[in-house]
Amino acid sequence: MSYMTGDLQITAADLTANTSTQMHKLGERAVTPDGRSFRYCKVGGTSLVPGKLYQAPVEVTNHENLTPTAASIGDTTLTVTLGNTAATANQYAEGWVMVTVTPGQGYQYKIKSHPAASGSATLVLTLEDPIQVALTTSSRVDLVANPFSAVIVNPATATAAPVGAAVYPVTNAQYGWLQVGGPACLLADGAITVGTSLVASNAVAGAVEPLAGVQAAMGIAMTGIADTEYGAVMLTLR
């Protein structure tokens, strides 16, 4: 089964880590003695900007509702046929195969590695978790990337789930930390009143705004924040 560990203790110096070598599992959680929490991530194509909200990689709908080949209980590889969008090597490493249509619906399997594949081609996934319920060609599966791989600034129109706030300008394609819980400094879209619930902005990329509509909830304002300024937010992502 997948390897699991407890929370790491992290220091201020650790939060400025900016490495080309992966040092932790994607999404591994770390905490500071003052109650803040962080998740380890790989940055996408643009370096992180402190004080902005970030989201998971963009959903790839052509890598969802896929037909697998038959797989037996205990198998640790699974072959699927992609839709008309290519997959890069290890795009879904540390992500999951999620079975959406029976046989096997409701199960999820951690992906260890896979090669690149062209759109509409077959892709062989090596799994960390063995198959628990046999799959057939009647099954359907989604490929879901680890939400902390290739993170991008949260856009005005959501294309994935928000995952955390940048605390340091980690370079694109390198590894570092995003804050997910506790007091954080974030960009405001519109005037924010202390003590009110906040959501991801649907107008300003990377910002938060007062609760409205159906945007993703992010936390609670710790102070009043003027429009376009940065201020204190109690993050409640995880």
Side-chain angles (χ1 to χ4, degrees):
M1 298 298 289
S2 301
Y3 183 68
M4 298 180 184
T5 62
D7 290 346
L8 301 171
Q9 289 289 321
I10 196 168
T11 67
D14 295 325
L15 294 178
T16 61
N18 189 16
T19 64
S20 57
T21 301
Q22 184 173 350
M23 307 298 290
H24 303 279
K25 291 286 190 181
L26 294 177
E28 190 161 359
R29 188 174 185 265
V31 297
T32 53
D34 58 16
R36 292 177 296 160
S37 56
F38 301 82
R39 296 279 180 173
Y40 193 69
C41 73
K42 183 177 183 180
V43 180
T46 304
S47 299
L48 299 186
V49 178
K52 288 197 173 182
L53 186 66
Y54 282 77
Q55 73 157 41
V58 176
E59 178 188 22
V60 183
T61 56
N62 277 332
H63 295 171
E64 298 172 353
N65 198 37
L66 304 180
T67 301
T69 58
S72 301
I73 293 172
D75 283 355
T76 54
T77 61
L78 181 66
T79 300
V80 298
T81 300
L82 299 176
N84 192 26
T85 299
T88 59
N90 290 325
Q91 180 176 344
Y92 292 99
E94 299 191 53
W96 300 270
V97 175
M98 297 198 176
V99 185
T100 59
V101 174
T102 197
Q105 66 184 2
Y107 283 82
Q108 63 185 69
Y109 302 102
K110 191 76 174 284
I111 299 170
K112 184 175 182 180
S113 63
H114 63 81
S118 301
S120 303
T122 58
L123 174 65
V124 180
L125 303 157
T126 299
L127 308 176
E128 291 187 13
D129 302 324
I131 298 296
Q132 299 296 304
V133 175
L135 304 178
T136 73
T137 54
S138 295
S139 304
R140 294 293 181 268
V141 301
D142 290 353
L143 304 185
V144 180
N146 187 294
F148 296 96
S149 65
V151 299
I152 62 171
V153 70
N154 196 75
T157 300
T159 53
V163 292
V167 296
Y168 184 77
V170 180
T171 305
N172 59 294
Q174 296 202 6
Y175 297 88
W177 297 92
L178 286 174
Q179 187 174 351
V180 296
C185 185
L186 280 169
L187 173 63
D189 170 24
I192 290 174
T193 302
V194 64
T196 56
S197 296
L198 304 176
V199 296
S201 172
N202 62 358
V204 178
V208 295
E209 66 180 8
L211 176 64
V214 295
Q215 297 101 279
M218 303 309 307
I220 299 168
M222 296 178 65
T223 65
I225 311 172
D227 184 22
T228 75
E229 293 186 4
Y230 293 72
V233 175
M234 180 63 76
L235 276 178
T236 56
L237 283 168
R238 279 199 262 184

